[in-house]
Amino acid sequence: MNQNQLTSLLEQMTTEEKVGQLIQLATPFLKGASDGGQITGPMVGMGITEEVVQNTGSVLGASGAKEIKNIQETHLKDNRLGIPLLFMSDIVHGYKTIFPVPLAVGCSWDLDLAERSAEIAAIEAAVSGIHVTFAPMVDLVRDPRWGRVMESTGEDPYLNSEFARAFVRGFQGDFENDNQRVASCVKHFAAYGAAEGGRDYNTVDMSEWQLRENYLPAYKAALDEGCEMVMTAFNILNGVPSTGNKTLMRDLLRKEWDFDGVLISDWGAVKELIPHGVAEGEKEAARKALEAGVDIEMMTECYVNHVQQLIEEGSLDESLVDEAVLRILKLKQKLGLFENPFRGADEQLENELILSKEHRESARELAAKSAVLLKNEQVLPLDPSQKIALIGPFADNHDILGPWSWLGSKDDTITLDKGIQSYASEVKIAEGSGVETSSNIQLDLALKAAEESDVIVLALGESSDMSGEAGCRADIRLPQVQLELIQELKELNKPIVTVLFNGRPLDLHGVIHETDALLEAWYPGTEGGQAVADLLYGTSNPSGRLAMSFPHSVGQVPVYYNHYNTGRPKNAPDAQERFVSQYLDSPNGPLFPFGYGLSYTTFTYDEVTISSQELKEGETLTITTRITNSGEKAGEEVVQLYVRDTTGEVVRPMKELKNFERISLQPGEEKEVTFDLKEEDLRYYHSNLEYKSDRGQFEVFVGPHSKQKSSVSFQLIK
Ligand code: BGC
């Protein structure tokens, strides 16, 4: 179908049919679904008639080639104009081959593997009939109390933007010509990651300057990479809910950024304009959301019950509806649905491709690269001859896939005990405690196993419902029973290696000093237990680097590396003892900074050299250093380049990540790493929101993490 045919299709549509395209319903509403017709819970009161279902434009959460083909086939018979349905789902970090959660992927600093993980997720989803994934989530995050930090790639706008691009490339590929890719929907627009107090769905209030400097770049990067759709956020932004926010969607997204793809509300977010207190009822909510630019209303009924009346009354311009419908039809056309409504759905390919050996190998590789070694007092790697006591609630727990792995199965998941058993000659397994509750029997068994061992491997963490959406915590320590378990084991004076399975940077009080080694494994996915064992036994060398700072305690939150200096910085040479920006009872900085992570080998950096002391517009500076693997194992290092603009028109961060490179070195091997820096890389938002650079002095830092001190400097000449 070409543009003219789409327009003529639109002309044939009744208002009801048009409005139908603007609604997204869950699978149970659809005839042809295996659970079709089972309208339960809040769905009952939505007043969705059979006619509405026949006109519906898209479906949320269906999966499986057979199921989706059935729904589509039935729908095409019922829909007067034969307009195919769009199937959308949250395929966030894998379909059935589950990859580590996005925060973990962020810690891999490996864009190629991240792209490949999204590609594999897309392949598995597409052969199962899905057309659009609600990913990537690119909300910048600074507050680990927020459960959804695990869905993001962390605290840095540059790193987030690079991952946003990689994920979009992976999901979409050439989806217009390739049925084994899906369209991608970036979310949540905008600044959902800044919810006050780290509490989900909560208020966001920030200057436009801050928004543009840190929070918007990753959404923009996804769109620059060709991302087809955008999802609104639940939060208000500067007083106006994102889902009814004209400035955000019409002015910024549509006009300034020229986005002409489909904009969908988050789940129920149109109707939430009512409890937010900016719409009196459903009718006003529908008008506000449409006027603000929301094309599809997800899972509530404001559009379907009120848009037609709004048009008839003359209080809503029908052209807004037409525009929205046309955008949706265009997406259907791009996906090739008018020619082939079943698109990639294929039962045979599902059998061949889903959880294939190749897909699982990629998941194992990415899980190994995502884990971050935070401490190692010469206990790791383990030796297969050592007797192991594997203790803790995650010792043989399948709950290591993390939130948004709704299609991942327990039976396909490699748990830690399985992984360790593939190496160790002797392993005794005991829980010791549950995730949040415990019993004396469990503890006794654990102590006995520990006494008979050479090394204790302690598998601790948060169950997956302790993070993710609505999984916020005000206390981000491990649950008390787990802290007690460590204390008990510590009494035995055996080496303790702790592995953490969790979704956020934790407050490590009660863990970090008590343990001899600590590996942050996050929720590592289907191959998680194997990948962690590979790391513990040194088959893989840890190379993950934190994409989000670990605070000393929750009282410091938010703590992030790219903060400003303040007028009274604590470490200034002339700083007073008291009247400086500090806590009396805690350091200012994090326990483990952004970019940090250990390896089983050591990397030595030569002095950094710079091609010139001056940079002029149109020129390129090169910054070079040589890195040597000075240890005894092959390993990978993430070389990071940071810049500080020492004087700006507005304040500048203490450091800003500008580039990085992951290199692989054999023992004794050395490599030169060169980064380019141009005037464009030094631009920032001024107080009048102009985006440009200023002449003056810049410092450059190259090293293994964001606390790197040694630097070179140059002048930007204008
Ligand atoms: C989440 C979105 C998700 C949507 C659909 C919402 O509750 O905030 O991230 O895409 O549900 O499942």
Side-chain angles (χ1 to χ4, degrees):
M1 243 192 219
N2 57 33
Q3 186 67 26
N4 287 344
Q5 289 168 312
L6 287 184
T7 317
S8 99
L9 177 60
L10 179 72
E11 280 163 7
Q12 293 169 53
M13 292 169 79
T14 64
T15 311
E16 266 169 294
E17 283 169 335
K18 289 180 194 170
V19 176
Q21 290 299 312
L22 311 188
I23 170 166
Q24 176 155 106
L25 294 175
T27 325
F29 283 102
L30 276 298
K31 274 206 252 161
S34 51
D35 58 356
Q38 294 164 24
I39 315 296
T40 53
M43 293 184 228
V44 178
M46 286 173 67
I48 302 292
T49 62
E50 199 165 313
E51 206 182 350
V52 170
V53 176
Q54 282 168 8
N55 290 331
T56 292
S58 59
V59 182
L60 167 70
S63 68
K66 189 161 179 260
E67 170 92 343
I68 287 185
K69 282 201 226 164
N70 270 343
I71 302 174
Q72 188 76 289
E73 204 173 359
T74 316
H75 182 77
L76 289 173
K77 281 185 206 137
D78 289 348
N79 183 278
R80 185 180 70 95
L81 294 165
I83 303 174
L85 287 164
L86 260 176
F87 289 91
M88 309 196 190
S89 269
D90 293 272
I91 308 303
V92 176
H93 53 110
Y95 180 80
K96 285 194 181 170
T97 306
I98 303 294
F99 287 85
V101 291
L103 185 59
V105 178
C107 295
S108 75
W109 297 56
D110 192 324
L111 300 172
D112 293 336
L113 263 185
E115 179 176 337
R116 177 74 183 134
S117 73
E119 181 187 348
I120 289 172
I123 292 172
E124 294 192 2
V127 298
S128 309
I130 292 167
H131 306 141
V132 176
T133 178
F134 292 136
M137 184 279 215
V138 303
D139 304 327
L140 186 116
V141 290
R142 290 174 166 176
D143 192 331
R145 289 172 294 183
W146 195 45
R148 301 194 80 166
V149 300
M150 49 65 51
E151 287 178 58
S152 161
T153 49
E155 73 188 34
D156 182 69
Y158 174 80
L159 192 63
N160 278 358
S161 301
E162 291 298 303
F163 275 110
R165 286 175 179 276
F167 286 138
V168 171
R169 282 196 300 273
F171 287 129
Q172 292 200 163
D174 181 18
F175 77 97
E176 290 181 58
N177 298 303
D178 180 355
N179 276 353
Q180 288 189 12
R181 298 293 182 99
V182 295
S184 146
C185 175
V186 65
K187 66 191 187 185
H188 307 84
F189 197 66
Y192 185 28
E196 271 180 9
R199 205 182 74 216
D200 214 355
Y201 317 119
N202 204 9
T203 302
V204 176
D205 195 288
M206 70 169 68
S207 66
E208 188 173 346
W209 173 72
Q210 179 63 250
L211 188 68
R212 287 184 183 263
E213 280 271 289
N214 289 303
Y215 287 83
L216 293 181
Y219 307 106
K220 180 69 166 60
L223 297 178
D224 288 344
E225 203 61 46
C227 184
E228 281 297 323
M229 285 184 57
V230 174
M231 186 187 292
T232 69
F234 286 126
N235 54 282
I236 65 168
L237 183 61
N238 303 336
V240 184
S242 299
T243 308
N245 197 318
K246 262 193 195 165
T247 321
L248 203 52
M249 295 187 285
R250 291 267 176 218
D251 300 346
L252 181 75
L253 190 60
R254 296 270 188 227
K255 253 197 224 127
E256 191 183 320
W257 291 0
D258 215 14
F259 173 69
D260 69 349
V262 175
L263 188 49
I264 187 167
S265 80
D266 202 345
W267 178 299
V270 172
K271 199 168 172 180
E272 286 174 20
L273 296 180
I274 306 168
H276 270 305
V278 298
E280 269 183 358
E282 287 184 6
K283 193 164 155 191
E284 196 178 3
R287 184 179 57 74
K288 285 204 159 175
L290 250 175
E291 284 178 351
V294 177
D295 299 321
I296 301 182
E297 178 183 8
M298 187 199 294
M299 283 309 295
T300 42
E301 67 281 12
C302 306
Y303 281 13
V304 82
N305 291 339
H306 303 281
V307 167
Q308 181 155 4
Q309 199 190 348
L310 282 164
I311 296 171
E312 283 163 10
E313 283 170 12
S315 42
L316 184 80
D317 190 345
E318 189 164 3
S319 69
L320 292 182
V321 172
D322 288 352
E323 274 172 28
V325 174
L326 207 52
R327 280 193 282 262
I328 295 159
L329 296 179
K330 212 162 135 198
L331 180 57
K332 293 185 178 187
Q333 175 227 340
K334 277 190 169 182
L335 284 154
L337 296 178
F338 290 105
E339 285 73 36
N340 177 8
F342 307 111
R343 201 173 178 263
D346 186 321
E347 286 100 313
Q348 197 185 326
L349 286 178
E350 274 182 311
N351 281 333
E352 281 168 29
L353 296 175
I354 292 176
L355 285 160
S356 68
K357 189 161 169 274
E358 198 191 329
H359 291 184
R360 295 189 76 122
E361 268 163 17
S362 287
R364 179 169 171 182
E365 191 185 351
L366 188 49
K369 288 198 176 172
S370 301
V372 187
L373 183 64
L374 293 174
K375 180 177 180 184
N376 186 15
E377 305 278 323
Q378 289 165 1
V379 268
L380 287 175
L382 299 173
D383 190 296
S385 66
Q386 288 168 315
K387 283 190 260 170
I388 304 293
L390 174 57
I391 295 173
F394 286 86
D396 60 355
N397 195 333
H398 290 89
D399 188 16
I400 58 169
L401 300 180
W404 289 130
S405 45
W406 56 290
L407 289 154
S409 142
K410 205 173 142 209
D411 299 337
D412 299 320
T413 306
I414 313 239
T415 52
L416 185 57
D417 62 320
K418 287 277 162 349
I420 287 189
Q421 276 160 5
S422 71
Y423 287 98
S425 48
E426 204 181 317
V427 196
K428 292 212 165 65
I429 301 165
E431 274 191 326
S433 85
V435 175
E436 292 186 271
T437 53
S438 191
S439 75
N440 287 338
I441 304 169
Q442 279 174 321
L443 183 60
D444 290 347
L445 288 173
L447 290 173
K448 186 160 178 298
E451 263 160 20
E452 291 163 7
S453 71
D454 299 323
V455 180
I456 300 168
V457 175
L458 190 52
L460 306 177
E462 300 174 302
S463 57
S464 55
D465 59 6
M466 290 168 76
S467 66
E469 187 174 346
C472 303
R473 299 180 64 206
D475 180 351
I476 53 171
R477 286 173 302 176
L478 282 175
Q480 190 57 30
V481 283
Q482 296 187 43
L483 298 177
E484 283 163 13
L485 177 62
I486 307 183
Q487 285 304 333
E488 294 279 353
L489 292 168
K490 180 131 185 60
E491 302 285 302
L492 304 179
N493 282 323
K494 303 248 175 179
I496 303 182
V497 173
T498 302
V499 182
L500 292 176
F501 295 91
N502 58 301
R504 56 163 57 79
L506 294 166
D507 167 345
L508 293 176
H509 276 101
V511 186
I512 192 70
H513 297 300
E514 288 66 10
T515 189
D516 300 282
L518 188 105
L519 181 70
E520 174 54 81
W522 308 108
Y523 295 118
T526 304
E527 288 283 330
Q530 192 60 56
V532 169
D534 294 344
L535 290 165
L536 295 179
Y537 283 89
T539 311
S540 312
N541 191 345
S543 60
R545 303 287 183 262
L546 294 179
M548 194 175 175
S549 308
F550 267 58
H552 280 275
S553 72
V554 78
Q556 283 184 305
V557 163
V559 58
Y560 47 93
Y561 88 95
N562 46 357
H563 61 89
Y564 309 109
N565 201 25
T566 80
R568 294 192 180 194
K570 192 177 172 194
N571 298 320
D574 57 349
Q576 290 193 24
E577 211 172 285
R578 183 171 179 97
F579 296 99
V580 291
S581 179
Q582 66 179 342
Y583 295 109
L584 297 176
D585 55 355
S586 161
N588 285 1
L591 176 63
F592 294 114
F594 176 80
Y596 181 82
L598 301 171
S599 163
Y600 295 151
T601 190
T602 46
F603 298 100
T604 318
Y605 283 68
D606 282 7
E607 225 156 83
V608 177
T609 58
I610 187 160
S611 58
S612 167
Q613 302 298 309
E614 289 181 358
L615 173 64
K616 297 200 186 91
E617 243 162 282
E619 290 181 351
T620 304
L621 274 184
T622 55
I623 291 136
T624 308
T625 188
R626 181 178 292 275
I627 294 120
T628 310
N629 181 344
S630 43
E632 275 150 29
K633 284 187 178 302
E636 294 195 13
E637 169 73 331
V638 179
V639 186
Q640 302 164 33
L641 172 81
Y642 296 89
V643 165
R644 180 176 180 207
D645 182 347
T646 54
T647 316
E649 187 261 338
V650 291
V651 295
R652 308 305 309 132
M654 296 302 286
K655 274 185 195 129
E656 291 174 85
L657 181 70
K658 293 291 175 185
N659 209 336
F660 61 90
E661 197 176 322
R662 203 178 225 281
I663 55 167
S664 169
L665 292 173
Q666 293 301 316
E669 193 187 346
E670 48 181 52
K671 249 182 209 163
E672 203 169 77
V673 172
T674 299
F675 295 110
D676 288 350
L677 208 56
K678 296 190 169 76
E679 178 275 328
E680 295 93 288
D681 301 319
L682 307 173
R683 294 179 188 168
Y684 64 95
Y685 286 94
H686 286 57
S687 52
N688 63 358
L689 301 181
E690 231 183 294
Y691 189 64
K692 59 176 188 182
S693 63
D694 293 327
R695 60 179 194 74
Q697 160 115 353
F698 290 79
E699 284 177 56
V700 180
F701 312 79
V702 179
H705 55 72
S706 62
K707 277 265 172 266
Q708 183 58 30
K709 287 213 173 77
S710 77
S711 73
V712 289
S713 58
F714 68 91
Q715 294 281 330
L716 176 63
I717 311 282
K718 288 207 153 185

